[in-house]
Amino acid sequence: MSSRIGQIANHLLKESRAVVFSKHGPINKVTSVTRYPLEGLQPTQVLLKILAAPINPADVNIIEGTYPVKPRFHSFGAIGGNEGVAEIVGVGNQVQDLKLGDWVIPVAASFSTWQTYCIADADKILKLPEHDGVSPVFAATIAVNPPTAYRMLKDFGKLEKGDVVIQNSANSAVGQAVIQLAKAWGYKTVNIVRNRPTIDTLKEQLYSLGADLVITEDDVRKPAIAKEIAALGKAKLGLNGVGGKSATNLARLLADEAYLVTYGGMSKEPVTIPTSLYIFKRLTCCGFWLNKWSTERPREKTDVMLYEIMDLARQGKFKEPFHHTFSLSQDSEQTLVSAVADSFTASGKTIFVP
């Protein structure tokens, strides 16, 4: 039966619409939208309908050629996107443990999620557990940013309930995940964001997720803010997704023997730490990259982490990121390319949907 269903689905779906790039370079010059024919479904493969696929900073860096992951180029270009959630709509006759209607996420790098449909090897995807009460947007964004937040909170600083985590880029998808996981696990968060005309609205959004304190980059060096942070508890962990002066100012707020973990560099400026923080506060600075963590550990560890995050979502303790959507099947090429180009400056996560 599964083979017959796979054949029917493959017959009906002749092509996929995708956001592609012809080579590495500036988004607006190398990115376009194309349709390409789907190949025949092999016995160990599944046919996927993409339900939602985000645009992450790493995706943009891959197009620009500045990220250490190599895309797969086809005759029509390389399809963008590494993260997303899909529904199985066709199953090869040798595929086990997967069935029609299952939701799955990629476990391979450069999976190419910015498309309407795709064919994938069954061993390159992970079946999500029961997804009732979990939105496609949440499921699509579960594999990169929440695990990054999860691992940094678990693996650095030996946090205990009541300890304080200070982070910049707090309104990013990682930042939102940090706030919610910290709240669930009993940690407090100080959240630094850039000032903007809508700062009051942004603060309300972050407080609604469970933030304990939200401040702007302009507030960080104020003595009164330092006292307020100290009153919250011991700041044992700092999370840096920006670099430059933002990272320096964050580091100054950390307690003795704290950890500063860098996972991103949105400012494209180097992380500069005063010598005094190393000597007198014995600050430890290190980096974190989820891809590296994942490749060095059994897949089962990733599965357990994702299932725990899904469970928090079902309990209402973990919400989908602030976002806006664009339709891969309906929106124009100009609209879709602009969505990629503008994703760095968008007010929330940009998500491609069918």
Side-chain angles (χ1 to χ4, degrees):
M1 174 64 74
S2 62
S3 176
R4 175 64 177 159
I5 293 173
Q7 291 169 5
I8 293 172
N10 194 43
H11 174 73
L12 293 175
L13 298 170
K14 292 293 187 181
E15 64 180 14
S16 180
R17 190 173 191 236
V19 178
V20 303
F21 53 103
S22 58
K23 60 182 179 180
H24 296 300
I27 302 296
N28 287 319
K29 292 185 177 180
V30 302
T31 308
S32 62
V33 174
T34 192
R35 295 181 184 275
Y36 75 95
L38 291 169
E39 300 176 352
L41 188 64
Q42 299 301 309
T44 58
Q45 293 180 324
V46 292
L47 178 63
L48 303 178
K49 176 183 179 181
I50 305 298
L51 300 178
I55 302 174
N56 289 318
D59 299 322
V60 175
N61 294 152
I62 288 172
I63 296 174
E64 294 171 337
T66 60
Y67 199 75
V69 170
K70 300 301 181 184
R72 292 172 294 173
F73 281 95
H74 309 275
S75 59
F76 53 83
I79 303 170
N82 289 283
E83 189 181 23
V85 65
E87 178 184 355
I88 295 180
V89 295
V91 183
N93 59 10
Q94 293 181 18
V95 174
Q96 299 179 352
D97 302 322
L98 294 172
K99 64 183 185 302
L100 293 178
D102 284 346
W103 282 15
V104 297
I105 60 174
V107 294
S110 296
F111 190 85
S112 303
T113 55
W114 296 352
Q115 54 183 322
T116 51
Y117 292 90
C118 70
I119 291 173
D121 294 333
D123 62 353
K124 296 297 191 296
I125 54 178
L126 169 67
K127 176 183 174 180
L128 291 179
E130 180 60 46
H131 55 260
D132 284 349
V134 176
S135 71
V137 167
F138 183 87
T141 56
I142 194 177
V144 176
N145 296 308
T148 295
Y150 183 108
R151 292 266 53 102
M152 292 192 296
L153 291 173
K154 287 284 190 182
D155 297 346
F156 300 95
K158 297 181 179 179
L159 298 177
E160 300 175 350
K161 288 188 176 182
D163 285 339
V164 175
V165 179
I166 306 178
Q167 63 168 341
N168 55 24
S169 192
N171 58 315
S172 67
V174 171
Q176 294 174 52
V178 166
I179 291 170
Q180 295 176 89
L181 289 174
K183 182 72 173 180
W185 295 338
Y187 313 143
K188 299 177 181 179
T189 57
V190 175
N191 304 277
I192 306 169
V193 297
R194 289 181 294 106
N195 205 353
R196 65 199 69 198
T198 58
I199 187 62
D200 290 337
T201 299
L202 177 57
K203 285 186 175 183
E204 289 177 7
Q205 290 174 327
L206 297 182
Y207 280 125
S208 73
L209 296 180
D212 293 279
L213 180 63
V214 182
I215 59 177
T216 69
E217 296 279 5
D218 301 332
D219 297 329
V220 171
R221 296 303 300 274
K222 295 178 180 178
I225 292 296
K227 290 181 180 179
E228 190 172 356
I229 293 172
L232 284 175
K234 188 174 182 180
K236 295 169 64 174
L237 179 62
L239 304 178
N240 167 45
V242 180
K245 291 182 180 179
S246 179
T248 306
N249 290 335
L250 189 164
R252 295 181 191 275
L253 296 172
L254 296 173
D256 289 358
E257 300 182 345
Y259 279 76
L260 176 66
V261 182
T262 294
Y263 67 91
M266 294 294 289
S267 71
K268 297 185 178 180
E269 297 176 357
V271 177
T272 304
I273 304 299
T275 304
S276 60
L277 297 185
Y278 289 113
I279 296 174
F280 304 118
K281 283 195 169 184
R282 299 181 298 282
L283 179 70
T284 298
C285 296
C286 49
F288 179 79
W289 185 31
L290 184 65
N291 282 35
K292 185 71 170 178
W293 183 92
S294 299
T295 57
E296 293 177 344
R297 287 160 181 82
R299 176 168 160 176
E300 290 74 17
K301 284 188 174 293
T302 297
D303 295 353
V304 169
M305 177 172 58
L306 294 177
Y307 293 162
E308 183 177 347
I309 293 170
M310 287 282 286
D311 190 50
L312 288 172
R314 282 192 291 269
Q315 296 176 42
K317 295 180 180 179
F318 207 139
K319 301 176 183 178
E320 61 190 25
F322 313 142
H323 67 276
H324 45 276
T325 61
F326 294 87
S327 171
L328 285 169
S329 61
Q330 300 296 323
D331 284 330
S332 68
E333 178 177 73
Q334 181 179 355
T335 297
L336 295 176
V337 171
S338 294
V340 178
D342 298 339
S343 60
F344 267 145
T345 56
S347 58
K349 180 66 70 177
T350 302
I351 311 281
F352 287 136
V353 296

